[in-house]
Structure formats: structure tokens, C-alpha cells
Amino acid sequence: MKKFIYLLSVLLCTFSTQYLSAEEENVHVKIGQLDPDSGNSSDRPRSIIQDVIEATIDTDLGLLSVYFNENLSNVTITVKNANGNIVASTTCNTSITTSTYLNVPTASGTYSIDIYGDCVTAYGEYDIN
């Protein structure tokens, strides 16, 4: 009986280890912002040099993680599918928390992220294959 329990526990550990070590697909989302110079009428986007906002998505879990490296006050984050339909949205006060998480679809396609606030207008895009 001890051998049976030992064998069963070894098999259980083996399968649980393989399940836990399954490769997650984390996609880094590049976030840019519109040129903050109010004297410039160009809406040409540029990259944020200091990485003020960082985002990654776990496509297995459908979890978008957004990290704020500076206080941007209140921001609204909206995720849209390729048709322009809003599929996820939240608001976040970055003076209280430095990160927020959204449940997003895991269906293949292109998704865009818009981040608006008093101190920032930013965008991002990611693809799920």
C-alpha cells in the first residue's frame, strides 16, 4: 500500500510540475504618447523615452498588466478590438497605485490600448495570434 501511495504521489507531482511549467505567452506592449508640446499642432506619436507607462499581456490568462512609473493622477484605460469596439476599460488613480490589471479577450486579432488623463494621452497596440 505504501508503494502505491508513493507511486501515486510521484505521478501527481510529475503531472502538476509539467502543468505549472507550461509556457505562458507574455507579450510586451509598447506604449507611446502624443507629443505633449501644446505649441506643436502635429499629432505625430513618439515613444516615451523614460518608460513612464509599461504594459504586458498574458495571452493564456487574458490579463493585461499596466504599470505606471510616474504619478499621472487619474487615467482611463480602454482596450478596443480591430473593429473599434471597447472590450475592456478601467480607471486608475496613479497617485494611489502604480499598476492596474484588466481582463481582456484571448481571441486572435489586433487590439489597441488608449490611456487618457489630465497628464497623459498615450496609446498602445498588441496582436494575439
Side-chain angles (χ1 to χ4, degrees):
M1 184 69 177
K2 287 182 182 180
K3 287 182 181 181
F4 176 72
I5 293 173
Y6 178 75
L7 179 62
L8 185 61
S9 65
V10 168
L11 287 175
L12 183 61
C13 289
T14 302
F15 287 119
S16 64
T17 303
Q18 287 179 350
Y19 178 74
L20 291 175
S21 67
E23 183 176 331
E24 294 178 357
E25 185 177 350
N26 285 328
V27 177
H28 179 74
V29 181
K30 184 169 175 84
I31 303 290
Q33 76 178 23
L34 299 179
D35 194 343
D37 182 7
S38 61
N40 185 0
S41 63
S42 171
D43 284 340
R44 192 184 91 222
R46 68 176 178 83
S47 295
I48 296 177
I49 297 171
Q50 298 172 359
D51 293 324
V52 174
I53 304 171
E54 297 177 32
T56 58
I57 182 166
D58 184 330
T59 56
D60 291 336
L61 296 176
L63 186 66
L64 175 66
S65 305
V66 182
Y67 305 98
F68 301 95
N69 297 322
E70 287 185 15
N71 181 356
L72 302 172
S73 297
N74 291 316
V75 296
T76 300
I77 303 166
T78 306
V79 179
K80 297 178 183 175
N81 63 12
N83 297 327
N85 298 324
I86 296 174
V87 295
S89 152
T90 190
T91 58
C92 177
N93 186 341
T94 62
S95 61
I96 296 173
T97 183
T98 59
S99 62
T100 190
Y101 305 93
L102 287 94
N103 290 320
V104 295
T106 57
S108 63
T110 300
Y111 297 88
S112 63
I113 304 169
D114 295 319
I115 302 171
Y116 297 107
D118 294 337
C119 302
V120 67
T121 299
Y123 64 92
E125 187 174 278
Y126 63 93
D127 292 315
I128 297 179
N129 298 324

